[in-house]
Amino acid sequence: MLSDLKIPKELRRKIDDELQPGEFIRWVEQPIPRFFTAASIGSVLFGIPWTSFAIFWMWGASGFKLPDLREGLQPQYMFALFGVPFVLIGFGMLSSPIWVWQAARKTVYLVTDKRAISIQGGWSTTIRSYLPDQLKDVYRKERADGTGDVIIAIRRWKDSEGDQRSEEIGFLGVRSPRGVENMLRQLVQNNA
């Protein structure tokens, strides 16, 4: 099954390392890589005025002219350099669609005969394994084109200001969420 898909070698190794002896794969898929998601669009839209203002501020701090370094490093140029971290943060926000797309390319989802597994690569690897008794509250969210998400768990926490936050965890951006949800429900029934 893995040979039919174009899963990068690094992810294939992680899959092989994660599988237990005798465990076989019933379904494997990588999320659909998308540049623009709700989170990345929001970040880009916020990043445009942020970066523009930071560049404008640096230009204003340097006297609304390009630095002339023939006279040496003047104090107003040093003051303008305080804007560099804000410009870099802005570039990070503007490039968020690239990071989202790269993350999808380093993620793989599996359903085996014993459990569901999510492997998210990158700078570090996060592997989440869900046994059948953890799959009882699975639900799906479908888009108009038939793709969607299969939600396995919801992580809840309070942020630094005490506000409630939540994150849906599961198989995000899959091609056939209905089929995956049915497969997970079947896994629960087979192991009941």
Side-chain angles (χ1 to χ4, degrees), residues 75-184:
Q76 72 264 24
Y77 302 146
M78 293 295 290
F79 183 63
L81 291 177
F82 282 109
V84 170
F86 296 98
V87 171
L88 293 176
I89 290 168
F91 286 153
M93 286 188 273
L94 293 173
S95 65
S96 67
I98 295 169
W99 302 113
V100 168
W101 182 74
Q102 281 286 58
R105 293 190 57 215
K106 295 179 179 182
T107 299
V108 67
Y109 305 129
L110 308 148
V111 176
T112 72
D113 58 326
K114 298 179 181 177
R115 59 194 169 134
I117 306 168
S118 168
I119 301 174
Q120 296 172 304
W123 294 68
S124 66
T125 301
T126 301
I127 300 171
R128 290 185 172 109
S129 181
Y130 304 96
L131 296 172
D133 63 328
Q134 296 172 298
L135 301 172
K136 292 180 178 160
D137 296 324
V138 169
Y139 65 94
R140 73 177 181 275
K141 294 165 65 176
E142 290 183 334
R143 296 180 188 85
D145 64 358
T147 64
D149 308 327
V150 178
I151 308 303
I152 296 173
I154 298 177
R155 183 174 79 95
R156 299 179 196 286
W157 73 96
K158 287 188 178 187
D159 65 12
S160 60
E161 297 174 358
D163 296 328
Q164 285 285 344
R165 300 285 180 205
S166 65
E167 173 190 20
E168 294 177 324
I169 299 171
F171 298 162
L172 309 178
V174 295
R175 287 163 183 79
S176 177
R178 181 183 305 254
V180 176
E181 179 191 29
N182 290 338
M183 198 176 303
L184 292 174

Side-chain angles (χ1 to χ4, degrees), residues 50-61:
W50 174 284
T51 309
S52 300
F53 178 77
I55 291 171
F56 179 77
W57 183 89
M58 287 178 66
W59 188 45

